[in-house]
Amino acid sequence: MNIRDILKSWLTQSISTSIKIFKIMIPVSILVKILQETGLIVYIGKALAPLMSVMGLPGEMGLVWASAMLGNIYAGIITFFSIGMDLTIAQVTVLSTIILIAHTLPVELAITQKAGVKAGAAFLFRFIFGFIAGVILYHLYSIFNIYQDIPTGIDKMVMISEKATWGSWVLSELKNYAIVFCYITGLIIIIDILKRVGIIDKINRWFYPLLRVLGIGKEVIPITVIGMTLGLAYGGGLIINEVQQTKLERRNVCYALMLMSLSHSVIEDSLLMIAIGAKVSGVFFFRFIFTFIVMYFFVKITQSWSEKRMAKLFYSKSNS
C-alpha cells in the first residue's frame, strides 16, 4: 500500500466514523438544549435531592449532578457556582467524583449503544455505581475525618454562566464537532501507525496482565486505554470503527465499554475537578481503584453467563 492509499484510508475512516458520531451528537445536543431552555432539568435535580443526603451532600447538589448528566461537566460546574453554596473539600470531592462517573449521558449512552452495549444497561451501570462511589467516598472521608474544611483560593468567577443565545450555542456546537473530527482523525492515524510499527503489540503486553484479570481481551486493550485517557466518545467511536474493520468479540466490547463508562478522560476531567477544589485522592485514585474493583466483580459474575443471556441484558443490536 502506497502513501496515497494510506492517506485515503485514513480520511475515509475519519469521515465515516465522525459521521456516525455526529448522527448521535447533533440530535441529542438539540434535545438537551431544549431541556435546559424549558427548565426541565430543575425537576430532575429535585428528584435527585434525597440521594444527595445519603452521600453527605445538600439536596441542591442534585441539580448540579442533573446538569452534568444531561449536559456536560461544564454545565455541572456552572450550576455549582451559580448555586453559590460553600461545601467542604470532602463534599466537593464526592460531588466531583460522581459527576466524573456519570456525565454527558445522552451523548455518551448513544455512542455506547452504537458501539455495542444497551444504553439502558450502561445508564444503570453508571448511575448506580456513581451513587455507590459517592456513598463510599463520603464515609471514608468521614471516618478518617479528613478534608472537612472549606476550600480556599478557588476563583469562582471563572465559571460565571451567561445565558447563551441559540446562535452562539450553534457556533459553539460547530466548534465542538470540528474538534471531535480532528481528534478522531488523529487517533485513527496514530493507531494505524502504532499498529504498523508494532507498538500496539507492546501496549497489549504491558496492559494485558492487568486487564486480563478483568476479562478484557487484548484486541480491545488499545482502544480501552484511549477511552480511559481521552474520553468515552473517542473510545466508543474507535470501537465503532474497529467493529467495521474487524470482528471484535461482543463480550470483550461490552467489558471494555463498561470499564470506559466508569473511568474515562481520567487526566483532563480529573484536573478540571481538582481546579474547583476536589482532591486527587477521590477524583483520580479512588475512582481508578473503585472502577477496577467493580469491573473485577462484574466480570466474575457474568463471565459464566451464556451469550444469549448477555445479549438479553447488555448487548445492543447495533453491534450484532
Side-chain angles (χ1 to χ4, degrees):
M1 182 178 289
N2 57 41
I3 296 296
R4 184 176 179 179
D5 290 335
I6 293 174
L7 293 175
K8 183 179 179 181
S9 174
W10 287 345
L11 182 60
T12 301
Q13 291 184 56
S14 300
I15 293 174
S16 175
T17 303
S18 297
I19 289 174
K20 288 181 174 61
I21 298 298
F22 294 155
K23 283 181 178 179
I24 295 169
M25 293 181 70
I26 293 173
V28 169
S29 296
I30 294 172
L31 176 60
V32 170
K33 178 64 174 176
I34 293 172
L35 289 175
Q36 292 171 334
E37 291 291 322
T38 56
L40 292 177
I41 290 180
V42 174
Y43 295 100
I44 298 174
K46 290 180 178 179
L48 291 174
L51 296 180
M52 297 297 106
S53 62
V54 182
M55 294 183 284
L57 297 170
E60 291 85 348
M61 293 302 106
L63 178 58
V64 176
W65 198 18
S67 298
M69 285 193 289
L70 291 178
N72 52 42
I73 291 178
Y74 292 97
I77 293 175
I78 289 171
T79 304
F80 171 63
F81 285 143
S82 297
I83 292 174
M85 183 175 291
D86 287 328
L87 303 183
T88 65
I89 295 174
Q91 288 176 314
V92 172
T93 305
V94 170
L95 178 64
S96 297
T97 301
I98 65 175
I99 286 176
L100 290 176
I101 293 176
H103 62 266
T104 324
L105 294 184
V107 171
E108 293 185 349
L109 291 179
I111 291 172
T112 300
Q113 170 95 9
K114 185 69 176 178
V117 171
K118 290 181 177 180
F123 166 74
L124 291 175
F125 199 78
R126 294 179 69 172
F127 182 78
I128 291 173
F129 284 113
F131 172 69
I132 292 174
V135 173
I136 294 174
L137 189 58
Y138 159 61
H139 284 291
L140 284 174
Y141 285 154
S142 297
I143 290 172
F144 293 101
N145 194 32
I146 55 176
Y147 304 140
Q148 300 303 312
D149 50 337
I150 304 295
T152 58
I154 304 299
D155 186 3
K156 296 186 178 183
M157 298 303 292
V158 173
M159 299 300 298
I160 288 179
S161 174
E162 295 183 4
K163 193 174 182 62
T165 64
W166 278 92
S168 62
W169 174 79
V170 169
L171 290 176
S172 176
E173 289 298 300
L174 290 175
K175 179 181 177 181
N176 290 337
Y177 300 148
I179 292 173
V180 168
F181 176 77
C182 291
Y183 261 111
I184 288 175
T185 302
L187 291 173
I188 286 174
I189 292 172
I190 290 170
I191 287 180
D192 188 52
I193 292 174
L194 293 180
K195 283 180 179 178
R196 293 174 185 274
V197 301
I199 293 180
I200 287 292
D201 291 334
K202 292 182 179 180
I203 292 175
N204 288 342
R205 289 196 293 270
W206 292 339
F207 285 93
Y208 186 57
L210 177 60
L211 295 183
R212 182 179 59 183
V213 176
L214 302 181
I216 296 177
K218 60 183 180 180
E219 67 270 21
V220 296
I221 288 177
I223 297 173
T224 304
V225 173
I226 287 173
M228 291 183 68
T229 54
L230 294 181
L232 182 58
Y234 306 119
L238 290 174
I239 282 183
I240 295 173
N241 184 63
E242 283 294 314
V243 168
Q244 290 182 330
Q245 305 299 319
T246 59
K247 188 64 177 178
L248 297 178
E249 186 180 340
R250 299 178 77 188
R251 191 177 295 256
N252 280 332
V253 169
C254 176
Y255 290 155
L257 287 169
M258 290 306 200
L259 174 61
M260 285 189 283
S261 293
L262 295 182
S263 283
H264 57 270
S265 193
V266 294
I267 299 174
E268 180 182 352
D269 288 354
S270 296
L271 291 175
L272 182 61
M273 305 316 284
I274 290 170
I276 69 167
K279 287 295 182 180
V280 68
S281 63
V283 297
F284 185 81
F285 292 112
F286 172 81
R287 181 163 63 113
F288 188 82
I289 295 170
F290 178 80
T291 295
F292 276 81
I293 291 175
V294 169
M295 286 304 303
Y296 176 80
F297 285 104
F298 176 67
V299 171
K300 282 293 182 183
I301 292 171
T302 61
Q303 65 182 354
S304 61
W305 290 4
S306 66
E307 285 297 296
K308 182 178 180 180
R309 188 177 184 184
M310 289 291 292
K312 181 179 179 181
L313 294 176
F314 298 108
Y315 300 160
S316 67
K317 294 180 181 179
S318 301
N319 198 29
S320 298

